[in-house]
PDB file of all heavy atoms in Angstrom:
ATOM      1  N   ARG S 318      98.814  98.151  74.486  1.00  0.00           N
ATOM      2  CA  ARG S 318      98.313  99.366  73.863  1.00  0.00           C
ATOM      3  C   ARG S 318      98.427  99.272  72.356  1.00  0.00           C
ATOM      4  O   ARG S 318      99.239  98.507  71.834  1.00  0.00           O
ATOM      5  CB  ARG S 318      99.100 100.568  74.401  1.00  0.00           C
ATOM      6  CG  ARG S 318      98.837 100.835  75.877  1.00  0.00           C
ATOM      7  CD  ARG S 318      99.635 102.017  76.369  1.00  0.00           C
ATOM      8  NE  ARG S 318      99.353 102.290  77.786  1.00  0.00           N
ATOM      9  CZ  ARG S 318      99.961 103.226  78.499  1.00  0.00           C
ATOM     10  NH1 ARG S 318     100.875 103.982  77.928  1.00  0.00           N
ATOM     11  NH2 ARG S 318      99.654 103.412  79.759  1.00  0.00           N
ATOM     12  N   PRO S 319      97.553 100.036  71.614  1.00  0.00           N
ATOM     13  CA  PRO S 319      96.682 101.132  72.062  1.00  0.00           C
ATOM     14  C   PRO S 319      95.274 100.661  72.412  1.00  0.00           C
ATOM     15  O   PRO S 319      94.780  99.686  71.876  1.00  0.00           O
ATOM     16  CB  PRO S 319      96.655 102.042  70.827  1.00  0.00           C
ATOM     17  CG  PRO S 319      96.786 101.100  69.685  1.00  0.00           C
ATOM     18  CD  PRO S 319      97.669  99.971  70.147  1.00  0.00           C
ATOM     19  N   PHE S 320      94.627 101.397  73.318  1.00  0.00           N
ATOM     20  CA  PHE S 320      93.232 101.206  73.657  1.00  0.00           C
ATOM     21  C   PHE S 320      92.729 102.498  74.300  1.00  0.00           C
ATOM     22  O   PHE S 320      93.531 103.309  74.779  1.00  0.00           O
ATOM     23  CB  PHE S 320      93.037 100.018  74.620  1.00  0.00           C
ATOM     24  CG  PHE S 320      93.885 100.067  75.846  1.00  0.00           C
ATOM     25  CD1 PHE S 320      93.481 100.790  76.970  1.00  0.00           C
ATOM     26  CD2 PHE S 320      95.084  99.388  75.897  1.00  0.00           C
ATOM     27  CE1 PHE S 320      94.264 100.827  78.104  1.00  0.00           C
ATOM     28  CE2 PHE S 320      95.873  99.418  77.040  1.00  0.00           C
ATOM     29  CZ  PHE S 320      95.458 100.142  78.141  1.00  0.00           C
ATOM     30  N   PRO S 321      91.426 102.759  74.296  1.00  0.00           N
ATOM     31  CA  PRO S 321      90.900 104.025  74.853  1.00  0.00           C
ATOM     32  C   PRO S 321      91.203 104.132  76.342  1.00  0.00           C
ATOM     33  O   PRO S 321      91.005 103.187  77.110  1.00  0.00           O
ATOM     34  CB  PRO S 321      89.396 103.931  74.590  1.00  0.00           C
ATOM     35  CG  PRO S 321      89.241 102.926  73.504  1.00  0.00           C
ATOM     36  CD  PRO S 321      90.364 101.949  73.680  1.00  0.00           C
ATOM     37  N   THR S 322      91.655 105.316  76.746  1.00  0.00           N
ATOM     38  CA  THR S 322      92.022 105.535  78.152  1.00  0.00           C
ATOM     39  C   THR S 322      91.386 106.787  78.752  1.00  0.00           C
ATOM     40  O   THR S 322      91.085 106.805  79.943  1.00  0.00           O
ATOM     41  CB  THR S 322      93.545 105.642  78.291  1.00  0.00           C
ATOM     42  OG1 THR S 322      94.023 106.687  77.429  1.00  0.00           O
ATOM     43  CG2 THR S 322      94.211 104.332  77.895  1.00  0.00           C
ATOM     44  N   ASN S 323      91.169 107.846  77.948  1.00  0.00           N
ATOM     45  CA  ASN S 323      90.706 109.117  78.499  1.00  0.00           C
ATOM     46  C   ASN S 323      89.492 109.620  77.723  1.00  0.00           C
ATOM     47  O   ASN S 323      89.331 109.343  76.529  1.00  0.00           O
ATOM     48  CB  ASN S 323      91.819 110.182  78.449  1.00  0.00           C
ATOM     49  CG  ASN S 323      93.042 109.768  79.240  1.00  0.00           C
ATOM     50  OD1 ASN S 323      92.918 109.265  80.341  1.00  0.00           O
ATOM     51  ND2 ASN S 323      94.221 109.963  78.667  1.00  0.00           N
ATOM     52  N   GLU S 324      88.680 110.383  78.426  1.00  0.00           N
ATOM     53  CA  GLU S 324      87.529 111.034  77.787  1.00  0.00           C
ATOM     54  C   GLU S 324      87.998 112.301  77.074  1.00  0.00           C
ATOM     55  O   GLU S 324      88.638 113.160  77.676  1.00  0.00           O
ATOM     56  CB  GLU S 324      86.483 111.362  78.853  1.00  0.00           C
ATOM     57  CG  GLU S 324      85.242 112.046  78.294  1.00  0.00           C
ATOM     58  CD  GLU S 324      84.258 112.408  79.386  1.00  0.00           C
ATOM     59  OE1 GLU S 324      84.042 111.581  80.284  1.00  0.00           O
ATOM     60  OE2 GLU S 324      83.726 113.532  79.346  1.00  0.00           O
ATOM     61  N   THR S 325      87.667 112.396  75.781  1.00  0.00           N
ATOM     62  CA  THR S 325      88.184 113.487  74.954  1.00  0.00           C
ATOM     63  C   THR S 325      87.112 114.525  74.636  1.00  0.00           C
ATOM     64  O   THR S 325      87.319 115.717  74.834  1.00  0.00           O
ATOM     65  CB  THR S 325      88.762 112.927  73.652  1.00  0.00           C
ATOM     66  OG1 THR S 325      89.726 111.914  73.967  1.00  0.00           O
ATOM     67  CG2 THR S 325      89.449 114.027  72.851  1.00  0.00           C
ATOM     68  N   ILE S 326      85.964 114.095  74.105  1.00  0.00           N
ATOM     69  CA  ILE S 326      84.917 115.021  73.652  1.00  0.00           C
ATOM     70  C   ILE S 326      83.587 114.557  74.222  1.00  0.00           C
ATOM     71  O   ILE S 326      83.312 113.346  74.281  1.00  0.00           O
ATOM     72  CB  ILE S 326      84.848 115.086  72.109  1.00  0.00           C
ATOM     73  CG1 ILE S 326      86.192 115.541  71.527  1.00  0.00           C
ATOM     74  CG2 ILE S 326      83.753 116.030  71.648  1.00  0.00           C
ATOM     75  CD1 ILE S 326      86.234 115.535  70.017  1.00  0.00           C
ATOM     76  N   VAL S 327      82.763 115.529  74.623  1.00  0.00           N
ATOM     77  CA  VAL S 327      81.390 115.280  75.074  1.00  0.00           C
ATOM     78  C   VAL S 327      80.445 115.947  74.089  1.00  0.00           C
ATOM     79  O   VAL S 327      80.522 117.160  73.859  1.00  0.00           O
ATOM     80  CB  VAL S 327      81.157 115.806  76.508  1.00  0.00           C
ATOM     81  CG1 VAL S 327      79.726 115.543  76.935  1.00  0.00           C
ATOM     82  CG2 VAL S 327      82.132 115.164  77.484  1.00  0.00           C
ATOM     83  N   TYR S 328      79.555 115.161  73.488  1.00  0.00           N
ATOM     84  CA  TYR S 328      78.597 115.669  72.504  1.00  0.00           C
ATOM     85  C   TYR S 328      77.287 115.945  73.238  1.00  0.00           C
ATOM     86  O   TYR S 328      76.598 115.018  73.690  1.00  0.00           O
ATOM     87  CB  TYR S 328      78.371 114.654  71.386  1.00  0.00           C
ATOM     88  CG  TYR S 328      79.641 114.209  70.691  1.00  0.00           C
ATOM     89  CD1 TYR S 328      80.383 113.126  71.175  1.00  0.00           C
ATOM     90  CD2 TYR S 328      80.098 114.861  69.554  1.00  0.00           C
ATOM     91  CE1 TYR S 328      81.546 112.715  70.542  1.00  0.00           C
ATOM     92  CE2 TYR S 328      81.256 114.454  68.908  1.00  0.00           C
ATOM     93  CZ  TYR S 328      81.973 113.380  69.410  1.00  0.00           C
ATOM     94  OH  TYR S 328      83.121 112.979  68.773  1.00  0.00           O
ATOM     95  N   GLU S 329      76.926 117.222  73.362  1.00  0.00           N
ATOM     96  CA  GLU S 329      75.712 117.632  74.072  1.00  0.00           C
ATOM     97  C   GLU S 329      74.753 118.287  73.094  1.00  0.00           C
ATOM     98  O   GLU S 329      75.166 119.034  72.202  1.00  0.00           O
ATOM     99  CB  GLU S 329      76.060 118.609  75.201  1.00  0.00           C
ATOM    100  CG  GLU S 329      76.946 118.013  76.287  1.00  0.00           C
ATOM    101  CD  GLU S 329      77.260 119.010  77.383  1.00  0.00           C
ATOM    102  OE1 GLU S 329      76.946 120.212  77.178  1.00  0.00           O
ATOM    103  OE2 GLU S 329      77.815 118.610  78.424  1.00  0.00           O
TER     104      GLU S 329
END
Side-chain angles (χ1 to χ4, degrees):
R318 293 180 179 176
F320 53 85
T322 56
N323 300 316
E324 180 183 317
T325 306
I326 301 176
V327 180
Y328 305 88
E329 297 180 350

